[in-house]
Amino acid sequence: MERKSRISLRVSLAAMLIGTVLITSLLFGTSVFLLWRKASLDEINGSLGRLTGTTALLIDAEQHGRLATAADMETVTYRTLRDQLRAVRANNPEIRFLYTFRWAEGEEYPRFVLDSGDEGEDFSPLGEEYEDMTPVLEQAFE
């Protein structure tokens, strides 16, 4: 005799209900996560924008414009402006890199001017090309 396995209607409905609840919970959780992530990124971008604007006010544009060659790294002007960047970075420990650069007409890439880091692997000396351009950064120069 063959025994047929039959699942009762009650068990089938319960399984469908549990499946529906799990899928709904997963979709809701994903939606909440994506909204939280967007809000967090917007807050970070806003904070960085405000910090950038404030830091730019600290740097004397005329003095910054005079820094052109690696030899200028030995000047008082370079050290003073670099120290101002270092003070900003020291007061914002979540910032790992803080630097300035400029992009002269006709150059393929912008060039570093000030780097708040210490000389070493992650340090970019005055005049070094910045080749890791992002669309957002390119747009800032337009």
Side-chain angles (χ1 to χ4, degrees):
M1 273 198 242
E2 242 179 74
R3 238 173 105 183
K4 289 188 177 179
S5 165
R6 293 181 115 186
I7 300 174
S8 73
L9 181 60
R10 198 175 283 180
V11 171
S12 295
L13 289 175
M16 286 177 42
L17 180 62
I18 290 171
T20 302
V21 167
L22 288 174
I23 290 172
T24 303
S25 296
L26 180 65
L27 291 174
F28 179 73
T30 301
S31 298
V32 168
F33 170 76
L34 292 174
L35 287 171
W36 168 81
R37 182 174 164 224
K38 182 180 179 337
S40 295
L41 289 174
D42 288 347
E43 177 60 30
I44 289 169
N45 285 335
S47 294
L48 285 175
R50 289 186 297 277
L51 181 63
T52 300
T54 302
T55 303
L57 294 173
L58 295 174
I59 303 299
D60 184 302
E62 186 178 318
Q63 291 178 346
H64 188 268
R66 282 192 237 133
L67 301 173
T69 67
D72 291 332
M73 291 176 66
E74 304 303 321
T75 65
V76 172
T77 300
Y78 180 89
R79 288 192 297 273
T80 301
L81 295 176
R82 182 201 57 208
D83 289 346
Q84 289 173 338
L85 281 185
R86 285 182 173 175
V88 170
R89 199 176 92 199
N91 287 314
N92 296 276
E94 67 278 6
I95 295 176
R96 183 170 174 203
F97 301 108
L98 184 59
Y99 48 83
T100 66
F101 47 68
R102 68 173 151 259
W103 200 349
E105 193 172 325
E107 291 182 340
E108 185 175 359
Y109 298 106
R111 295 184 180 274
F112 284 95
V113 179
L114 299 169
D115 188 335
S116 64
D118 296 319
E119 291 193 32
E121 183 179 338
D122 290 330
F123 181 78
S124 300
L126 177 60
E128 181 178 300
E129 288 185 341
Y130 183 81
E131 298 177 0
D132 298 327
M133 290 295 290
T134 63
V136 172
L137 190 54
E138 281 192 58
Q139 185 179 5
F141 277 101
E142 292 177 0

